[in-house]
Amino acid sequence: MAKFILPALAVTIGLLQVAVPNLSRTYTLVGGRRNNAHYLSPSYTSLLDPLCMLQHTDKFHGCESMQLVELSPTRTVIFTSCLTSYANRPRVLSQSREADAAEGKSRSGDKIFRWDLDTDEVVELELRGMPGGEGGGDRGFHGMDVNYGLEGGRMSLYVVNHRFNGTVVEKFMHDPATDVLEHVASIPTAEGGLKHPNDIYAIKHLDDINAFYITDENRYSTGLMRFIGDYTRRPWGSAHYYSTETRWKLVMTGLGGGNGITGDNKVGGRVYISPHLSGEIVVTDQDASQPGVLKELQRIPLNFMGDNPTLSSSGEDIIIAGYTDPRKMYGHVADRSAPAPGSIVGRISTKQLGSAFFGEKGGYTSTPVVDEMFVDIQGRWINASSTAILREKKIQPLDEEAEIEEDDEVARGASELGDLYITGLTTSGEYAFLLVLSSCP
């Protein structure tokens, strides 16, 4: 008997060494260590009440993705994909799409809007040449990215579209002087072996060959294994690359849910991936000589499950939106009267990534600070935030002649405030809208 005790004890200890850290990390990601009392207190909510404003509630319903583009010094726009009917929201879930297809259900298709921030004009863009017809319901938009500054001032939009018969990447061309998106390509993701595509990052200098990176949430789209993968936070997500030259390439595995992705639009630049189940940002470098090759640089832990990362308008910060209690997400998507998953937005300085903190010496990395700049525990202002964009504004010194302390960045005009734009997938009311937090602290 004794000869079995020691091996059994060793196995038990080994299992505990794996299980305890995983359970501890899960407890953090579902908000177990967050000071909810502080974020629910009048001292916190009274600060945000005068700053938080819902915008264009007649159009921005349950928006999933958005991209900010500075077309000129006097014209900045946001492109965003939104619902026409909340019945289309569950289609971001694989099992809901399969059920709809089996039952032959037709949904009111999603829309893409362009919001001119300087004039406050919102235009629904015509989807000219879109398969299924302009008014067709075969549109369930998920991730989206924009390549701007192309030849002739044109731009391209890449959109992950969950059609009933399978997910594709739709490519559109756009002249910002018009209100038309011209459909030019549909790229089936099943050819690359993707099960549940989510977000997309388009490569600007390779736009002529339709190059992009795309995330895949899980190697299982539905069923028991998908359930196990989600609720035990298995690293079954992946990232893929596509171009008309290379076709599909698997570029990264081992992601705890392949969710959001973005990059700095530089040749050989950085690509940032958000595996939501592991609650982190994966920082990678592209190989400029080999398109579709990513080298992992570091992983930045978050205290929440993040969705889609973006870069601030200056490119100096990663902005990541997510949920304060993701355990409530599926239930709330199915029934908006159910408890809300809340919203949270974090900010990470790109100056702290890689070896930058050490002056690019020795290849050392540090763990950057994650500033939780907006927290909404109950979805009071916006619920289930999927994307956030920070548009910075420089503060000018009030008196350039005044004495300024050497480290007084605010007085020197080096500090930045701005407008924080946040999408919301759901609310407890009729719809979720796009929220703007002005002059965010």
Side-chain angles (χ1 to χ4, degrees):
M1 186 70 175
K3 67 178 181 179
F4 297 110
I5 294 178
L6 287 179
L9 183 61
V11 170
T12 301
I13 292 174
L15 291 174
L16 288 175
Q17 287 177 332
V18 173
V20 171
N22 186 58
L23 290 172
S24 176
R25 180 70 177 140
T26 299
Y27 184 66
T28 296
L29 294 176
V30 299
R33 292 185 171 85
R34 184 169 293 108
N35 183 6
N36 288 352
H38 166 70
Y39 295 112
L40 294 173
S41 68
S43 61
Y44 180 80
T45 58
S46 63
L47 289 175
L48 293 182
D49 275 333
L51 301 178
C52 297
M53 298 170 286
L54 294 177
Q55 299 289 321
H56 299 285
T57 56
D58 59 326
K59 297 181 178 68
F60 295 151
H61 299 166
C63 305
E64 158 72 31
S65 182
M66 63 177 170
Q67 296 292 332
L68 183 141
V69 179
E70 185 176 318
L71 297 174
S72 71
T74 59
R75 189 184 184 195
T76 300
V77 302
I78 282 178
F79 293 91
T80 184
S81 56
C82 306
L83 302 173
T84 54
S85 167
Y86 188 79
N88 225 26
R89 166 56 56 217
R91 282 180 62 190
V92 299
L93 308 177
S94 297
Q95 58 267 35
S96 298
R97 292 198 302 278
E98 291 191 2
D100 281 355
E103 296 173 15
K105 289 184 178 179
S106 177
R107 302 294 194 192
S108 176
D110 296 349
K111 297 181 177 182
I112 297 177
F113 293 95
R114 186 188 63 216
W115 179 15
D116 279 70
L117 300 182
D118 301 288
T119 64
D120 201 34
E121 179 187 23
V122 177
V123 175
E124 178 190 346
L125 297 175
E126 175 189 348
L127 306 178
R128 184 173 295 174
M130 176 79 180
E134 172 65 22
D138 205 9
R139 302 192 305 270
F141 297 148
H142 213 153
M144 177 179 67
D145 200 13
V146 178
N147 282 335
Y148 57 94
L150 302 178
E151 185 177 355
R154 288 166 62 81
M155 61 179 61
S156 60
L157 279 80
Y158 294 76
V159 186
V160 176
N161 183 23
H162 299 303
R163 295 183 185 177
F164 285 117
N165 63 351
T167 299
V168 301
V169 172
E170 314 279 15
K171 181 181 180 181
F172 300 89
M173 297 304 297
H174 178 57
D175 180 347
T178 73
D179 301 334
V180 175
L181 289 175
E182 299 173 2
H183 187 269
V184 295
S186 294
I187 303 164
T189 60
E191 294 179 1
L194 283 75
K195 299 294 186 181
H196 190 132
N198 188 313
D199 199 13
I200 189 167
Y201 167 52
I203 312 300
K204 180 178 178 179
H205 70 282
L206 297 176
D207 185 77
D208 59 332
I209 57 172
N210 298 347
F212 57 80
Y213 291 96
I214 187 170
T215 55
D216 194 21
E217 286 188 13
N218 199 303
R219 69 178 67 158
Y220 304 99
S221 57
T222 58
L224 177 62
M225 295 306 292
R226 176 60 191 257
F227 177 86
I228 292 174
D230 284 350
Y231 283 89
T232 62
R233 303 192 302 108
R234 293 299 83 205
W236 292 344
S238 55
H240 303 250
Y241 173 83
Y242 174 88
S243 77
T244 55
E245 289 186 354
T246 65
R247 307 303 292 179
W248 288 98
K249 294 172 62 177
L250 176 64
V251 297
M252 183 170 288
T253 58
L255 300 175
N259 198 320
I261 187 169
T262 192
D264 59 15
N265 260 323
K266 298 176 182 177
V267 178
R270 291 268 163 88
V271 176
Y272 308 100
I273 304 173
S274 169
H276 63 293
L277 296 178
S278 54
E280 59 188 355
I281 299 293
V282 181
V283 183
T284 69
D285 283 334
Q286 298 182 75
D287 188 327
S289 63
Q290 300 182 71
V293 175
L294 296 179
K295 177 185 177 182
E296 183 176 325
L297 187 64
Q298 68 183 121
R299 299 197 175 205
I300 305 167
L302 307 171
N303 289 328
F304 58 93
M305 289 188 181
D307 202 322
N308 299 326
T310 64
L311 288 176
S312 61
S313 56
S314 68
E316 294 184 356
D317 292 294
I318 301 169
I319 308 299
I320 176 69
Y323 323 119
T324 55
D325 191 345
R327 294 171 297 181
K328 302 172 181 176
M329 187 62 183
Y330 283 174
H332 191 76
V333 166
D335 178 5
R336 284 173 292 162
S337 65
S343 295
I344 187 169
V345 178
R347 174 171 57 179
I348 304 164
S349 171
T350 57
K351 295 179 181 179
Q352 297 182 17
L353 303 181
S355 300
F357 185 79
F358 298 96
E360 305 297 347
K361 296 179 180 180
Y364 299 109
T365 61
S366 63
T367 301
V369 174
V370 180
D371 171 27
E372 295 182 356
M373 59 193 303
F374 173 82
V375 181
D376 187 357
I377 298 295
Q378 296 178 324
R380 172 176 176 169
W381 296 284
I382 195 157
N383 199 29
S385 52
S386 59
T387 309
I389 291 176
L390 176 62
R391 185 189 185 194
E392 296 109 329
K393 298 177 181 178
K394 289 285 186 180
I395 300 177
Q396 300 300 323
L398 295 177
D399 184 359
E400 295 184 359
E401 302 298 325
E403 292 187 9
I404 300 175
E405 296 291 336
E406 185 175 347
D407 60 349
D408 191 346
E409 290 186 335
V410 173
R412 287 180 172 275
S415 181
E416 294 175 338
L417 299 182
D419 292 334
L420 183 66
Y421 300 85
I422 311 172
T423 61
L425 300 180
T426 67
T427 68
S428 58
E430 180 64 16
Y431 289 109
F433 307 121
L434 194 68
L435 174 142
V436 178
L437 177 62
S438 291
S439 298
C440 54

